[in-house]
Amino acid sequence: MTIKLVEEKALMGQDRRRAERRLDFGHAWDYAPAPEGTDHVRLASRYDLFIDGRFEPPGAGRYFETINPATEARLAEVADADERDVDRAVAAARRAYDQVWARMAPLERGKYIYRIARVIQERARELAVVESLDGGKPIKESRDFDVPTAAAHFFYYAGWADKLRYAFPGHAVRPLGVAGQVIPWNFPLLMAAWKIAPALACGNTVVLKPAETTPLTALLLAEIIQEADLPPGVVNIITGAGKTGAALVGHPGVDKVAFTGSTAVGKHIQRALAGTGKRMTMELGGKAANIVFADAPIDQAVEGVISGIFFNQGHVCCAGSRLLLEEGVHDTFVRKLRDRMATLRVGDPLDKNTDVGAINSKMQLEKIRELVASGEEEGAERFSAPCELPERGYFFAPTIFTGVAQSHRIAREEIFGPVLSVLTFRTDAEAVEKANNTFYGLSAGVWSNKGARLFKMASQLEAGVVWGNTYNKFDPSSPFGGYKESGFGREGGRQGLAAYLVVE
Ligand code: NAI
Ligand code: MG
């Protein structure tokens, strides 16, 4: 990577002002821009629905645009599936289930899933660029996290396909049938992998609907599925907004619903499906606490807290959006946090140096702004990183609030943006009490030098995942899921198989 002394560099506009600000904060050098190439990416101007192994136009002929949130430029238009299209997709999945996939030898199913994983690896660069273009996340995250982790999920579950009876010793297992899967916009390709890989490994067929702001990598995945030669109808990918999602989860031909998204929509689906006998898994919102004790390795904890909330612009259901600091370490920690925030690079998602990219949509940006305004009105103290935001596109400067009370909205509601609320505690018991004082329960982090304390806290925190002296670490072999209003069911690992099987 090129590092140039500021004095040597002829800086213009934003770069120059950014560099001057860095000097104010005591940093003598800056990175030169390093944009990722896009020449290898060929987006079609229009994408149809992937049904029964083919791309087909929507019955009603309606399409909608997906844009690049960093520039507001139109990327492509995608089909808006209506109820009849959903019906066709579910029928294709049913045929493929009855006639091919559920009957196929599990070892053979595994080979197809391995093939998907391999083609994802082959097309990794293209997938990473499209993920960053369509959703606004920094290329270093889509390249180093989203795409490799998506491939890893297919590899992992491919391995389970012919070993299912060892996953639940003493039990007979069989697939559920057709899975209707609805995913959000924060990790578009990775969420598709989390949903599709275990479903296929267990012998189910799938209709998947990506989010309306980020449909493109799911459509590339449809091409990959064609390339991997999967039998037609085993995976169907249909695009559309909430109405399409509702038609899919409500379709009588769907045996299992897997949903990741907002708690409000998750509750709505649960109400709509009550009494239908459909199996469900729900992965909903979060308001995770990152708990830092005074004996923690402080600089390491600062890095962990920073990545825990600013990773993917805070568009992470398990983001460490509440920071609980032991009182004695509060002032030092906040000072170090602010210093580190001043060095975060906010801007072009395709620049390899960018730490914080674009907010996914105008709607999400407005939601973040509204909650941040409520924090100021309710009396918390705001600090936003002193960075210049690009003129076009949806951006929000990394922000922390100190002096936050548990009753403040910014301490209770999911902001889903780069905004951290800082609270304090004096004892272990108070930390547990405050961390658990939420309707959510997806994840938490504990930072301490004492191993015994990490384990004790982990057993008392009502959260599906608890990280110790680290944050946001994922592995396909590790189950993920929530307590309370964060949802139910587990994805990942052996536990993730149970969501797609009848275990007798
Ligand atoms: P959302 O829950 O509306 O969207 C998620 C997915 O559900 C999308 O594919 C959408 O088309 C679909 N959907 C919407 N209404 C549906 C319905 N009635 N039936 C079936 N599917 C439906 O999330 P939205 O509005 O994009 O974001 C709002 C808030 O939700 C965010 O600010 C954030 O707080 C939270 N959120 C949480 C996520 C998580 O991973 N836990 C992911 C996305 C959003
Ligand atoms: Mg988009």
Side-chain angles (χ1 to χ4, degrees), residues 66-69 134-135 213-214:
T66 184
I67 64 158
N68 176 348
D134 201 13
T213 57
T214 54

Side-chain angles (χ1 to χ4, degrees), residues 65-70 73 75-76 130-136 185 211-216 360-361:
E65 285 187 351
T66 184
I67 64 158
N68 176 348
L75 291 170
V130 174
E131 200 72 308
S132 285
L133 284 172
D134 201 13
W185 39 262
E212 52 272 37
T213 57
T214 54
L216 295 180
N360 185 266
S361 67

Side-chain angles (χ1 to χ4, degrees), residues 182-187 191 209-213 240-249 259-266 268-269 283-286 315-318 360-361 363-364 367 414-416 440 442 486:
V182 176
I183 57 172
W185 39 262
N186 53 348
F187 293 94
M191 286 302 110
K209 190 199 84 67
E212 52 272 37
T213 57
K243 232 175 130 193
T244 310
L248 173 58
V249 300
F259 175 77
T260 298
S262 62
T263 296
V265 171
H268 176 82
I269 295 174
E283 203 259 273
L284 310 174
H315 297 334
V316 184
C317 44
C318 52
N360 185 266
S361 67
M363 219 174 78
Q364 189 58 26
K367 179 182 165 185
E414 186 176 48
I415 303 175
F416 227 62
Y440 294 112
L442 197 54
S486 289

